[in-house]
Amino acid sequence: MPAGNARVIVILPDGQELRASLHERRRGPDGWQYRVAITLWQAGSGGRQEPVEHTVWLDAGHVRPIEGGDYSAVPTRPPAPAGRGASRQAWTIQNLPHRPGHPGARLVHIIGCQPGAPIDLDQALEALQQPSTVPCLQCKAATSLPSAG
């Protein structure tokens, strides 16, 4: 089974369960984490609703395998080096609202370019995997980030 096609159950905060695609897994400081993708509806151009895939890293307590599923082809990342998330470089995210003729978007900035709460490297890379999220051209955020590999 190709990577990204393994299916899992994601348990939402209110107890609802959704099927999702499992893209990769990693051993975090507090146990296993899984990068899953859920397809949801989003307002698109002209106010139409369009399906869009949202990805997120979740702790093992929020993800359950589907009985009989084959997870052998799911990529497994090595643990992040100690202190990686606490690197000296930090970023922020700016949400640009939806307006007629232009869907909403998000920009990832090097900290100081735009106000916002600081995020770490993993959060910046994860944000850039989301639809309509791009690095800021003014502060050249893309040059400060390694590829999402």
Side-chain angles (χ1 to χ4, degrees):
M1 175 179 292
N5 288 337
R7 303 293 287 172
V8 293
I9 300 293
V10 170
I11 303 156
L12 300 178
D14 66 358
Q16 291 183 69
E17 297 181 353
L18 298 175
R19 287 183 181 255
S21 296
L22 175 60
H23 286 276
E24 60 186 315
R25 54 191 166 192
R26 68 180 175 202
R27 184 93 172 153
D30 297 322
W32 282 99
Q33 298 173 325
Y34 302 93
R35 188 167 70 88
V36 299
I38 301 171
T39 303
L40 300 170
W41 295 104
Q42 173 176 299
S45 59
R48 295 179 313 159
Q49 293 186 346
E50 302 171 344
V52 64
E53 186 177 81
H54 296 275
T55 61
V56 64
W57 281 100
L58 293 174
D59 292 333
H62 304 291
V63 179
R64 187 176 72 228
I66 293 176
E67 189 173 333
D70 179 10
Y71 301 99
S72 62
V74 175
T76 302
R77 283 189 184 189
R84 177 179 172 190
S87 77
R88 283 180 254 156
Q89 184 73 52
W91 298 267
T92 61
I93 294 179
Q94 177 186 18
N95 292 306
L96 302 174
H98 174 82
R99 56 186 205 269
H102 300 282
R106 293 171 14 139
L107 294 176
V108 173
H109 299 278
I110 294 174
I111 198 160
C113 179
Q114 290 290 318
I119 60 172
D120 66 24
L121 176 60
D122 286 335
Q123 291 168 315
L125 292 174
E126 186 174 310
L128 287 168
Q129 293 176 2
Q130 300 299 317
S132 303
T133 303
V134 295
C136 174
L137 296 175
Q138 277 188 302
C139 66
K140 298 181 174 59
T143 63
S144 71
L145 294 161
S147 69

